[in-house]
Amino acid sequence: MTRRDRTTGLPSAQRGRRAAARAGEDGGFSVQRLTRFGIIGVAVAALLVVVALLAYNWYDSSIAQPGKTVLRVGEEEFSLSYYAARLPEFARAEGATSGLLLTDALLGKLEEEGLVLTAAAERGIVLSDDDVTAAIAVWLGVPLDTSRGSLFDNRYRDELRNSGLSDSHYREQTRAREAETRLREWLREEIGETGALLHLRVVTAATLEEAEALRARIDEGEDMGTIAQVDSLHEASRQNDGLWTTPPALLEAALQDALAGAEEGALLDPVEAGGAFWVIRLETREAAGTYTDRHIAELTELHFEEAIEAARERVTIERDFTTDDANWAIEEAS
């Protein structure tokens, strides 16, 4: 090294080139490292997206969609999984296997069950878990004994396998069925054994002209009972000289209106009701007549239908059932 080099301390050209080379190597390594980390980051992010999509699809198909509320009737809710569980049995009962008409009909069935539960609750009929278990035992025709290995336990397990329903779904179906039974019993008790009765003599005809001709024959003195036996279309009275005893509530509205102000013994002009024309004579009224079993059964059915329609008018009914839901239910039930 020359004296000048020693005194100035400046790096030589060779030392400068080595330093530049080292800097270039360090820079290249950093770029490569950053590139590698970037690739790894993108791969990890893509993996996370795939995992998230798989998790979402699993959640949607296994939890979210089955748990979706497809029908709400007041406070009663029906999930898609319950709908799908009920579909096979409903299809067998309806004699169908698929189709939108079938799926819509099942929604209607569940809607009615929701209305039954609502109408029952309005009358204080609310079933506990024990009530449902007892109802299952009655339905299976076995003593109520829930211990493992009991006749109830074995029969119930067989019933679940045969029906394809889970325990919770079977209990939900039983709750609706038992609520209907108890509601009908409540209405039956409310009706009682006695009430208003009308004793009528009736002759029915297919046309107004025929009915007016029959009325004219009666006015001319021909026996109304004989005419009823020979010419009346009304099967319920035909074999009894035209006599028919009925609660007023079981008559069609047009007949009720015609009889509302009639006096005993009055012969009414022909009245159209139920696809026929009626010639009626009001024999007597009873304020507290004794009902027959048939009267009670028909009045119970009438009051039941009225209770359901009244509940329908009071509660909010919401359906959220899409084509995708129907397809999922059909696939799940198959």
Side-chain angles (χ1 to χ4, degrees), residues 45-322:
L47 179 61
L48 292 175
V49 169
V50 171
V51 171
L53 289 174
L54 291 174
Y56 174 80
N57 288 335
W58 174 84
Y59 172 81
D60 185 59
S61 61
S62 302
I63 299 177
Q65 189 170 23
K68 174 188 174 183
T69 298
V70 295
L71 175 65
R72 181 177 287 104
V73 181
E75 297 182 357
E76 299 295 331
E77 296 183 351
F78 299 88
S79 68
L80 180 58
S81 63
Y82 179 62
Y83 174 94
R86 292 284 301 273
L87 188 57
E89 178 187 3
F90 184 77
R92 288 192 296 270
E94 295 295 312
T97 56
S98 63
L100 293 178
L101 290 178
L102 175 66
T103 55
D104 190 64
L106 178 54
L107 276 179
K109 170 67 174 175
L110 296 181
E111 181 178 303
E112 182 172 334
E113 290 182 4
L115 292 171
V116 168
L117 289 165
T118 299
E122 290 173 347
R123 291 160 176 79
I125 304 171
V126 179
L127 282 80
S128 65
D129 288 341
D130 290 340
D131 291 332
V132 173
T133 303
I136 293 174
V138 172
W139 182 261
L140 296 178
V142 297
L144 178 58
D145 179 4
T146 58
S147 61
R148 187 171 182 81
S150 66
L151 182 58
F152 172 87
D153 181 59
N154 291 331
R155 287 288 300 277
Y156 185 44
R157 291 175 185 275
D158 290 340
E159 180 73 3
L160 292 180
R161 281 193 294 269
N162 293 334
S163 68
L165 298 175
S166 66
D167 174 63
S168 61
H169 288 160
Y170 193 93
R171 293 179 68 84
E172 189 171 351
Q173 182 183 33
T174 302
R175 185 171 73 95
R177 184 173 59 227
E178 181 66 10
E180 178 174 342
T181 298
R182 296 194 182 193
L183 176 59
R184 290 181 182 276
E185 290 173 351
W186 190 96
L187 294 171
R188 164 67 180 80
E189 291 298 320
E190 185 182 50
I191 291 167
E193 303 290 337
T194 62
L197 285 176
L198 296 177
H199 298 275
L200 310 172
R201 197 177 298 270
V202 303
V203 180
T204 58
T207 67
L208 177 59
E209 292 75 14
E210 291 174 347
E212 289 176 337
L214 292 173
R215 164 70 191 265
R217 290 166 58 187
I218 297 168
D219 286 337
E220 292 170 359
E222 194 169 341
D223 182 66
M224 189 172 179
T226 302
I227 293 176
Q229 288 183 354
V230 176
D231 297 313
S232 181
L233 302 177
H234 189 250
E235 293 293 337
S237 64
R238 188 171 181 174
Q239 303 302 318
N240 194 30
D241 292 339
L243 287 175
W244 184 31
T245 299
T246 180
L250 295 180
L251 294 173
E252 293 200 26
L255 299 178
Q256 292 186 45
D257 293 342
L259 288 162
E263 297 181 357
E264 291 185 355
L267 181 63
L268 306 182
D269 291 331
V271 179
E272 184 177 7
F277 290 86
W278 299 62
V279 178
I280 301 175
R281 183 165 68 209
L282 174 58
E283 302 290 352
T284 59
R285 297 179 187 271
E286 278 190 274
T290 301
Y291 292 142
T292 65
D293 291 341
R294 181 173 180 176
H295 290 154
I296 294 172
E298 291 179 351
L299 285 170
T300 299
E301 183 63 26
L302 175 65
H303 288 192
F304 176 80
E305 292 174 358
E306 291 175 346
I308 298 306
E309 290 308 308
R312 189 188 306 276
E313 293 177 0
R314 286 192 297 271
V315 303
T316 300
I317 300 175
E318 299 176 348
R319 291 190 180 189
D320 183 13
F321 190 76
T322 66

